[in-house]
Amino acid sequence: MKIRKIQVLRGPNVWSNYRKKLIQMRLDLEELEHYPTDRIPGFRDRLQKLIPSLVEHQCSEGKRGGFFLRVELGTWMGHVIEHIALEIQTIAGMDVGYGRTRSTNEEGVYNVVFAYTDEEAGLYAAEAAVRIAEAVIRDEEYDLCADIKKMKDICENNCLGPSTKSIVEEAVKRGIPYMRLGNDSMVQLGYGANQMRFQATMTCKTNTLAVDLACDKQRTKELLGSAAIPVPKGELCSSIACMEEAIRNIGFPVVIKPLDGNQGKGATINVTSLEKAKEAFIHAQQYSSRVMVERYIKGFDFRVLVIDNKYVAAAKRIPAHVTGNGRDSIQTLIDLVNFDTKRGNGHENVLTKIKIDRDTEEMLEKAGYTLDTIPVKDEVVYLKSTANLSTGGSSVDVTEEIHPENITLAERIARIIGLDICGIDIMAESLSEPITQNGGAILEVNAAPGFRMHLAPTEGTPRNVATPVVDMLFPEGKTGRIPIISITGTNGKTTTTRLTAHITQSSGFATGFTTTDGIYINNRLMMEGDTTGPASAQFILKDPTVEFAVLETARGGILRSGMAYDQCNIGIITNIKEDHLGLNDIHTLEDLARVKSVVVNSVKKDGWAILNADDVHCLAIAEDLECNVAYFTLQPESETVQQLISNGKTIAFVDNGYITVKKDGKDIRIANLHNVPLTREGKIKFMVANTLASALATYLWGFSVRQISTALQTFVPGYEHTPGRMNLFELRSYNVLVDYAHNPHGYEAVEDYIKNIGARKKIGIVSGIGDRRDEDIIECAHIAGRMFDHIIIRQEGDLRGSTEEHINNMMLLGLQKAGRNITHEIIADEELALRHALSIAEEGDFITALTEDINLVVSIIKEQQAKEDKERLQHTA
């Protein structure tokens, strides 16, 4: 077997609109195409022995063991690899379940698709699944544990921690979208100007001064003490001598901890001798040069959580420990505790594995034990001096037990320090009575406190502490979203995008939009190039200045990575025509329609899909949509459109020269075509179609007729606003039209416009595109032969796997098909071809340059204009 390609789909895609995180692997089975699983002796038994948990996969049989039944009856290896990839991720702690395997037009080649939790782990699972299948086929030993460990390690490095994950999940439940910013725990909730950011449990609302204060334990103590809040007596020391003096003032027992420490690192509690104090001091200085020496407060370690100045939860933290059974050693008991699936490394799970360190050894030494000691039955042996979950501690929920005075105290502390999310560490015998009465004290105030102990306490009721965080970031009525209009189709996407963005911006919204020319925010070019994929859309959605997003969405990006967003307000499909067929498993217009439909399938249920009523493939797409559907048409009298109208559908069309929207039985006139420069008084039919789509979308979103009409009248076409879209340049004795047309439908649109232009001779500069089907190249040349009198055949800079000779031959076949007496010449270089056309043009001629390199062509034309202007000035002088 051979892996041809692996892709990561990160949003709505051709496989699923709801399962957005998918790995797509293009797998060539090679000779195994002729060997389904029932023809490989012993395959089922060996696979079941290696991965017995696959028995839980019901597969299409719909029952436990269904997958193995399929293997026994015979299935292809791509299907097997799909299930292996899913199961090894699940074993590694990343529970996934969706998968699909489909054949392609190429014999033996399959698309294997499966869900992932972590992208890197998903990619690893794809390759590992192939290795596993090959080993089982060859009856070779395979170290599955190594793969599982590798994926666990990947997840530990990449996956969101419990606190971050809980906030993300709460946001998703409310329909708030999220994006990770980099590979760490920084997350953006919402889009554009309505976004909020957080990292772990520190948010964009967190006061940095408050964080600095909380991190400075001495200043925190001083500030709280001055506010009559009980804190343990203590001193800050930088030397052994200073520590000794502090202990004389405080008295034993003491706690010694680094000033800048966290998660209990470097802390030693209940120190009762000067010798141990010196050791603890040296240990603490490994984490901070300045060390806190405090009076030891007896009692239990509590954490109180305050969010947005309101009490949320409380937990009693218990240090890492084991409970004796009278048989096993302490080391064995630790191993058994660590075997618990709830425990992981670091913050990857709700509990952390217990690691044996200096603190553990000292705790055992104090008790007179070693790791080989066998505790008696039910004896509790504590292994850490602090109760932090990060060192293996556990927690008991006491949210309902806290005394009202302690709640008031905690909320006051949060306000004094100034933290929006505040974790308060309290040492006391109990929280059920005021700590001012039972001798308790505030030990620390924590910025970015962990949520694990509240989300999944070892004992007691779990608390969804993420809810108040999201409440704080997104108060009632705030969704975090900005309006998104997404535009796809074969032709007209860029113009429709630019016109729509012009309407939204003219109506007062800071607008970001993506096109084949670049990324723009408020018409300022941010990034040049073909920016119609998901990365460019995310650029817009991440920008905090953008209030409205208009996104041109091309086929390639959808196939390559899926959509950049989870849903849009309005989706437009301009048309479905022959282009890019024969590439990436897109062989028919139905295949292409399936890709384009991802955009409108992503529309919110109360949003609108805007479809071309004159396109049979758009009409077919409409049948499966769950959102509102509206149409635009250039043929309002057609039987199809009349049926749509009789069914009460919303339609945009031209009525007596006016762009009109029929909705709920009423005709709403938007603007007269004579006042819409883009359409050249309605003469450019495809521009009329683009205008109808844009006007309909913006009207349905909620813009007023006046706003839309004004914007349509002020959108002046040309190289600056619509580069490569029917750009007309007037020279002294002839005109030049520049257009991006590169497929039969685009050529026909140009033909429809220039057929009414009177010219002595019409000269066309055209080319074939190497990765298009031969029939498409021939058809483009055929249309060119109909509309031009003289043709210059040039070549693209990139032949895309074809040859110059083959492309030229296809072009010549197309010209012959036109059946007209036309002349032609071949000039491969585009610049030379254009300069030649300009040199042979005579008065009254009309040149049309169909190009992808708009900037080059326009620069040459402007150079010619400047030359003519100079000559005219010299002649006048």
Side-chain angles (χ1 to χ4, degrees), residues 95-110:
D95 194 14
V96 288
Y98 176 86
R100 291 289 183 272
T101 298
R102 296 289 182 267
S103 60
T104 68
N105 276 22
E106 192 175 352
E107 184 182 1
V109 177
Y110 293 78

Side-chain angles (χ1 to χ4, degrees), residues 128-183:
V130 174
R131 292 196 301 268
I132 291 167
E134 289 177 332
V136 174
I137 291 168
R138 293 192 293 261
D139 193 12
E140 296 175 349
E141 291 293 322
Y142 191 86
D143 188 356
L144 182 64
C145 292
D147 281 338
I148 303 303
K149 182 181 184 304
K150 176 65 176 177
M151 285 190 289
K152 284 184 174 181
D153 291 342
I154 292 171
C155 187
E156 182 181 353
N157 290 331
N158 298 348
C159 290
L160 295 174
S163 300
T164 308
K165 185 180 178 183
S166 70
I167 298 172
V168 167
E169 288 177 344
E170 179 63 27
V172 170
K173 278 197 299 187
R174 303 185 191 195
I176 299 169
Y178 80 96
M179 290 186 281
R180 290 186 71 168
L181 304 177
N183 294 323

Side-chain angles (χ1 to χ4, degrees), residues 814-856:
L815 295 184
Q816 293 171 9
K817 187 178 175 182
R820 292 180 61 228
N821 185 23
I822 54 174
T823 56
H824 74 271
E825 49 191 322
I826 299 174
I827 302 176
D829 183 81
E830 181 165 17
E831 180 176 347
L832 294 179
L834 177 58
R835 292 189 184 280
H836 175 67
L838 296 176
S839 71
I840 64 172
E842 299 180 13
E843 187 170 349
D845 285 353
F846 190 91
I847 300 173
T848 300
L850 303 182
T851 179
E852 284 192 341
D853 197 343
I854 305 298
N855 293 334
L856 170 67

Side-chain angles (χ1 to χ4, degrees), residues 21 30 71 249 251 297 332 377 462 496 785 802 820 830:
K21 298 171 69 172
E30 298 180 316
V71 172
N249 293 333
I297 307 294
T332 301
K377 183 174 173 53
T496 306
S802 187
R820 292 180 61 228
E830 181 165 17

Side-chain angles (χ1 to χ4, degrees), residues 792-811:
I792 300 172
I793 300 174
R794 64 170 183 82
Q795 288 299 327
E796 295 287 333
D798 183 359
L799 297 179
R800 307 187 188 191
S802 187
T803 65
E804 185 174 325
E805 180 182 10
H806 177 75
I807 295 172
N808 286 342
N809 286 339
M810 295 303 102
M811 293 293 289

